[in-house]
């Protein structure tokens, strides 16, 4: 009992001492109360996923039909021969038919023969060239063209009438000229009645002992024929620059050569035949009889 009381009294003293000790403690010695740190895990709001659009099913595009193109070009002729200044038209046909295309025409040598946009070929000079036609997609067809001098023959007889009793005789030595209508000037060789030194487009020959003459390989075309008689001198005084169809030929001479030509026409009987045509591979025949020389 006594022991219990002692323990109790001791406890009370300890409490009082502790209370007194706490009251006299310096405020600077206060110890901050311990803060209990509690880790807080933030709440993460769930991200709202966007609504996925449904994938569109691709629509298959229809396969385009390829545009038809030219596969071949056929020309109406694969080769041709033309005379000078002649023309011919090439017809181009495309395959497959009814295809719209632009055709381009060309000549490998336009100086020999040229071609226009419609296929018309015009011969320019002797030689060879290739006419080419091409479609817009590169298909080509060609025609070989040869330009050559197409020729013909002119022949006939020239006579003169000696008198009413003897009749006609060969006008041996008479000179026959063929003058192309393309000639624009004649020179003194023609004015003097010569057969050499003639300008281009003028041809000459002499009548033989039988009264015949012949021109071989004369280019086709229109000509004036001038015949200067060797034997007849029928009424030479009648021949002037405007007589006997001489005026056109006379006008082709220079002023100096006109005097010589007129003198020749007055010394020798001259006859002029106009618009004599030479055709390809044909013989044109023309004969002339001069008037009476001796009565």
């Amino acid at each position: 009992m006594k022991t219990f009381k002692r323990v109790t009294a001791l406890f009370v003293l300890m409490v009082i001492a502790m209370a007194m000790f706490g009251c006299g403690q310096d405020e600077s010695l206060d110890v901050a109360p311990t803060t209990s740190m509690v880790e807080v895990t933030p709440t993460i709001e769930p991200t709202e996923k966007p609504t996925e659009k449904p994938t569109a099913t691709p629509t298959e595009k229809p396969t385009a039909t390829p545009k038809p193109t030219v596969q071949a070009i056929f020309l109406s002729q694969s080769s041709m021969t033309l005379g000078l200044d002649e023309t011919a038209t090439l017809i181009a046909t495309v395959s497959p038919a009814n295809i719209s295309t632009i055709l381009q025409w060309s000549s490998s040598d336009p100086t020999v023969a040229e071609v226009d946009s419609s296929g018309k070929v015009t011969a320019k000079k002797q030689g060879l060239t290739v006419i080419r036609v091409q479609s817009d997609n590169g298909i080509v067809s060609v025609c070989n063209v040869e330009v050559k001098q197409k020729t013909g023959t002119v022949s006939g007889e020239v006579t003169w009438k000696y008198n009413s009793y003897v009749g006609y005789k060969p006008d041996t030595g008479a000179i026959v000229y063929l003058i192309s209508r393309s000639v624009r000037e004649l020179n003194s060789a023609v004015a003097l009645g010569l057969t050499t030194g003639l300008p281009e487009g003028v041809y000459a020959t002499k009548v033989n002992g039988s009264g015949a003459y012949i021109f071989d390989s004369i280019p086709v075309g229109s000509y004036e024929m001038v015949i200067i008689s060797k034997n007849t001198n029928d009424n030479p005084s009648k021949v002037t620059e405007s007589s006997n169809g001489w005026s056109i030929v006379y006008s082709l001479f220079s002023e100096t050569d006109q005097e010589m030509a007129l003198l020749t026409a007055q010394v020798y009987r001259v006859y002029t035949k106009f618009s004599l045509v030479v055709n390809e591979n044909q013989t044109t025949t023309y004969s002339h009889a001069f008037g009476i020389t001796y009565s």
Side-chain angles (χ1 to χ4, degrees), residues 47-93:
T47 302
E48 185 176 347
K49 293 183 179 180
T51 303
E52 294 184 359
K53 295 182 179 180
T55 303
T57 302
T59 303
E60 292 186 3
K61 295 182 178 181
T63 303
T65 303
K67 181 181 178 181
T69 58
V70 176
Q71 301 299 313
I73 302 176
F74 301 99
L75 288 176
S76 54
Q77 293 177 258
S78 59
S79 64
M80 66 169 62
T81 300
L82 297 175
L84 292 179
D85 299 322
E86 280 192 332
T87 63
T89 300
L90 291 169
I91 306 299
T93 304

Side-chain angles (χ1 to χ4, degrees), residues 7-8 13 31 38 47 60-61 74 92 109 147 187 240 256 261-262 274 281:
V7 171
T8 303
L13 290 172
V31 179
V38 179
T47 302
E60 292 186 3
K61 295 182 178 181
F74 301 99
D109 190 347
V147 178
N187 62 8
T240 66
T256 301
L262 183 57
F274 291 97
N281 298 326

Side-chain angles (χ1 to χ4, degrees), residues 35-51:
T35 302
S36 178
M37 300 296 291
V38 179
E39 184 177 354
V40 179
T41 303
T43 302
I44 301 174
E45 295 291 334
T47 302
E48 185 176 347
K49 293 183 179 180
T51 303

